[in-house]
Structures are given as C-alpha cells and as structure tokens.
Amino acid sequence: MNLYNIKDKSEQVSFAQAVRQGLGREQGLFFPEHLEPLADVDALLDLPLVERSAHILSHLLGDEVPAPKVHELVSAAFTFPAPLVKLKDGSDRQIYALELFHGPTLAFKDFGGRFMAQCLAAFRTVSAEKNDKITILTATSGDTGAAVAHAFYGLEGIEVVILYPKGKISPLQEALFCTLGGNIRTIAIDGDFDACQALVKQSFDDEELKKAIGLNSANSINISRLLAQVCYYFEAVAQLPKADRAKAVISVPSGNFGNLTAGLIAKALGLPVKRFIAATNANDTVPRYLKTGQWDPHQTVATLSNAMDVSRPNNWPRVEELCRRKGWALETLGSGMRDDAQTRAALKRLHQQDYLCEPHGAIAWDLLGEQLAEDEVGVFLCTAHPAKFKESVDEILNLDVPLPGPLAKHAVLPLLSVNLPAEFARLRAFLLA
C-alpha cells in the first residue's frame, strides 16, 4: 500500500511506515494513493464482520501485508459486535442506531485503537543497532484515551503518553484510562483539547525529540485507526434490508472528523450509501465552513458532548482531499450543529422512544431526523455507552444508569495523572525524563 503526504506529495510511504511514523513532513496527513472499488460488494456484505473486514483491509493494503496476517490482526482486534438497532418512533420512518460501544472501553475508538496496536506490534522492528523504542503520544477529548490505553497496555517496548484537557472530560472517561499505570502515562493539561492537540503537533515538529523517544501518534491522524473504522460502515449496511441499502443516510457525530473520513472512504470503495451528515456540537467550524466557504475556527467551548469539543479538526484535510479526488462536491455533505439545550431535548425525546443514548449520539440522531427525506433510511452512530456520561445522562433523564463492568472496576481506582500547563517545554522535559 502506497500513501502520500497531503501537504507534500513527494513524501511517499508504505503502510507500515505510515503506521510507525504517524504524521508526515509539515504535520501532513498520509492518504492512500489508490482507493479502487471492491468487487462484488453484495457478496461481501453477506460475510461475517471479521471475514469481511479482513477482506476490505487486505484490498486496501495490497501485497504489503499477506492476507492471512491481515486476518490474524483483525481477529485479534475485532472481538466484539456492532449491532444495528431499529428505533420505534411510531412513524413510517426507518431509523437505526449503529451501536459502536460494545468493545472493552465502551466506545467506537476500540475498533481503531485495537487494530493500530496489533499493527504496531506486528511492524515493530527489533535491532541491536537501531533504537526500536516506540512512544505513543496522543491527545484525547474523551474516548480515544481509554481505547488507546487499553489497546496498548502491557505491550512490550511501547510507552503511551496521553494528554487530555483537565476538567473537560467526564469523570468516568478519565477513570478508564488514568488508573492503569505501567506503560500508560496520562497528563491533565491546563487547557482545552485544541491546546492538547497543538502540543502533540509541536512534539512531532521536534526532530530531536522524535528520534530520542521513537515518537508516534494514536489519534485518528494515524492511518491504521482510520482504515479500521471503514469496516464498521460496511457492518452497518450489511445489517440493513437489501432493498434499503442504497437509500441509507448516515449521521456521524463529528469532532476531529476521523469517523466521517472513514465513512467517505467506505463509500469510495463501493459501499452503497446515499450520503452522510456531519453532526457537531457548538464547536461548529465545519458546518459554518460548508455554509459560508469561510474557514473560521472559534475558541473551543466545553459542551455536554465533550468528545466533539474540537474547533480545528485534524482530519478535515483528508475529507477535502478525498472529495477532490472523487469529484464529490463538498456541498453534498449534510451538516449541522446542536447546542447543549438542543442536545438535552434530543436525549429526552430519544428516551421517550425507549432508546437510551448519550449526548453525542443524540446530536447525530436529531440532525438525521431533521434532514432525512421520506424515501431515505437513516442510520446514526452511537459512539459511546450512555454510562460513560452517567452524570449528564442521569441528570437529564432523571435516571441512575448502572455502570457496566469495565467502568465499575476503574471508577473506584485512584487517578495516576500528572498535571502540566499547556507549555511545550514542560511536556518535552516530561517525555525525555
């Protein structure tokens, strides 16, 4: 598989190199040179999740990774389902929830995080002459941290450092990844997610630091995470009645825009999806851009849907690159935002339909309902278990959501995070210590 740097197309790398390297020169994102449509998608949709996903990823990776090895990586990563649940809204409309929270950390990031961990472990080179140390440095607005921490926990030769905005993720999200210890180190940054993301980018610009600690990233900027996420869009459509597949409209909760990028790649591979909706909270840089043509990020604001509190989405250049290559007009992409008051109202209406959701999924559902035509079938992504946002869900719905096993286990453990200001010099010293 050959990939190129969107910012500097002369930089071309293999899949293994892109996974190990994370970012290209000038903080450029890697993108596949070829995205050829799959043959016989209908037959592919009849396969089970693991077999189908291994076929899709083998198609993308080409000869670089043997098909049996790809199947081995996928089998180790995708050990949980992604069920499609039909809502009962009392109307003739067909709307489904794709539940992506049945993995070990109860969030969609488990798909990408676990596949990336399997890839890095497989590609890691051990050499007496070469420093083979790997340090995963990533920023999280909530769910990435847990997925990455659990995927890499205990893996030999790989250190993980996770930055998160202090006081701006839910306590249960924090407990899931800040209580592990071992090769997982966590830092609460005095700032918002964009400040954390900026520190990660500065680290990748420091060549001396990169070489000293073998720097890599596990954000959705890493191509292995992105390609893994392509697979659950096929899983969603596979569970729809065959007559409805080409009418599918998928609403995606969007923060850093890796999830939407993966959906668009699935469409480029031939998945029969009619269109997508990018659903954001009050951090609505993309919806405003699609409406006005002006890229004007505002200061990031804290919301109920904190995993989408991103004003400068890293993956947006990949969306534009893919649309340019495929000749898709950006205007065909649906979009919209919901503030906290609208999110609360949506969560209540969903619960009245006997579906327990959380703020991110509720936003995607609300915008889907607003933009879905009569002859279309709707799917919205449920990216996290409602219990991960227990405080807000309990308060809004007057409930006491029980904690699933993983959350209950970590909720009582002490936090092991250190606190740092949003200053690169302080982070650099920490990483080199």
Side-chain angles (χ1 to χ4, degrees):
M1 182 185 199
N2 198 50
L3 301 104
Y4 62 91
N5 180 341
I6 290 175
K7 283 190 175 180
D8 180 358
K9 291 184 173 57
S10 67
E11 184 179 12
Q12 310 246 336
V13 296
S14 66
F15 175 69
Q17 186 178 342
V19 173
R20 289 193 297 260
Q21 190 173 328
L23 278 169
R25 290 193 289 264
E26 301 178 42
Q27 299 177 1
L29 300 171
F30 291 119
F31 202 73
E33 186 176 39
H34 300 291
L35 286 172
E36 303 300 330
L38 289 152
D40 201 353
V41 171
D42 285 341
L44 197 59
L45 292 173
D46 288 335
L47 297 176
L49 171 63
V50 169
E51 282 70 25
R52 183 194 317 114
S53 299
H55 185 96
I56 292 166
L57 291 168
S58 287
H59 172 80
L60 287 166
L61 301 182
D63 297 332
E64 184 175 346
V65 184
K69 183 63 178 178
V70 175
H71 192 279
E72 178 187 323
L73 299 176
V74 173
S75 297
F78 296 177
T79 56
F80 44 90
L84 194 68
V85 178
K86 189 173 184 180
L87 266 61
K88 305 169 185 175
D89 68 352
S91 74
D92 293 332
R93 297 198 312 173
Q94 297 187 66
I95 295 181
Y96 298 82
L98 178 65
E99 295 185 346
L100 299 172
F101 52 73
H102 293 278
T105 71
L106 310 172
F108 79 103
K109 304 288 180 78
D110 283 325
F111 284 92
R114 287 166 65 84
F115 182 68
M116 180 188 175
Q118 293 297 320
C119 288
L120 263 182
F123 297 153
R124 184 168 167 258
T125 55
V126 180
S127 166
E129 297 85 34
K130 183 180 177 181
N131 174 22
D132 69 325
K133 179 180 179 182
I134 295 175
T135 300
I136 302 292
L137 176 65
T138 194
T140 182
S141 56
D143 289 328
T144 290
V148 168
H150 284 260
F152 285 91
Y153 182 59
L155 286 186
E156 184 181 352
I158 301 178
E159 297 290 320
V160 178
V161 179
I162 302 170
L163 314 183
Y164 66 98
K166 183 180 180 182
K168 294 182 173 67
I169 68 174
S170 83
L172 288 171
Q173 283 178 313
E174 188 176 24
L176 258 181
F177 68 93
C178 297
T179 56
L180 292 172
N183 65 324
I184 309 298
R185 293 185 287 168
T186 54
I187 305 175
I189 296 293
D190 293 325
D192 57 25
F193 172 74
D194 289 316
C196 298
Q197 196 158 249
L199 288 170
V200 172
K201 288 184 175 181
Q202 283 180 278
S203 300
F204 275 89
D205 279 344
D206 188 324
E207 291 299 326
E208 181 182 350
L209 177 65
K210 281 172 63 177
K211 291 177 182 177
I213 65 174
L215 202 59
N216 201 329
S217 177
N219 277 62
S220 52
I221 57 177
N222 194 292
I223 195 66
S224 60
R225 273 194 51 192
L226 204 61
L227 298 186
Q229 290 173 248
V230 170
C231 299
Y232 55 66
Y233 285 94
F234 281 84
E235 177 67 4
V237 173
Q239 295 178 64
L240 287 173
K242 290 185 178 181
D244 292 338
R245 289 172 178 172
K247 298 185 287 185
V249 176
I250 302 180
S251 183
V252 185
S254 300
N256 219 12
F257 277 77
N259 215 348
L260 181 68
T261 306
L264 291 170
I265 291 174
K267 183 175 174 65
L269 293 177
L271 185 67
V273 174
K274 186 174 180 181
R275 59 191 178 90
F276 289 88
I277 297 171
T280 78
N281 59 24
N283 298 285
D284 61 342
T285 302
V286 168
R288 287 186 289 107
Y289 172 64
L290 292 174
K291 188 175 292 184
T292 67
Q294 300 297 313
W295 187 260
D296 181 28
H298 294 168
Q299 181 67 37
T300 303
V301 296
T303 73
L304 288 169
S305 49
N306 64 263
M308 303 185 333
D309 290 351
V310 185
S311 289
R312 300 175 184 275
N314 257 343
N315 275 291
W316 184 251
R318 281 177 168 144
V319 173
E320 293 201 320
E321 179 72 3
L322 181 56
C323 288
R324 180 192 65 78
R325 279 176 44 180
K326 298 296 294 184
W328 297 338
L330 284 174
E331 295 75 22
T332 61
L333 182 64
S335 69
M337 64 81 75
R338 290 292 184 263
D339 61 25
D340 276 358
Q342 293 168 315
T343 302
R344 286 172 174 268
L347 204 59
K348 289 177 180 177
R349 293 198 309 277
L350 254 179
H351 194 236
Q352 288 166 1
Q353 296 179 20
D354 294 327
Y355 191 78
L356 180 61
C357 199
E358 51 72 47
H360 307 77
I363 289 173
W365 169 79
D366 203 24
L367 283 160
L368 177 65
E370 178 184 83
Q371 299 183 23
L372 193 67
E374 287 186 11
D375 62 342
E376 295 175 332
V377 173
V379 176
F380 68 101
L381 270 54
C382 293
T383 51
H385 192 288
K388 295 194 80 171
F389 299 89
K390 177 176 171 59
E391 294 80 6
S392 56
V393 172
D394 281 359
E395 184 267 323
I396 294 168
L397 301 180
N398 192 26
L399 295 175
D400 183 9
V401 178
L403 295 183
L407 283 178
K409 173 186 173 182
H410 290 278
V412 297
L413 297 175
L415 297 179
L416 303 175
S417 300
V418 300
N419 190 205
L420 288 179
E423 298 173 5
F424 176 63
R426 293 286 297 276
L427 174 63
R428 191 180 194 277
F430 178 90
L431 293 172
L432 290 171

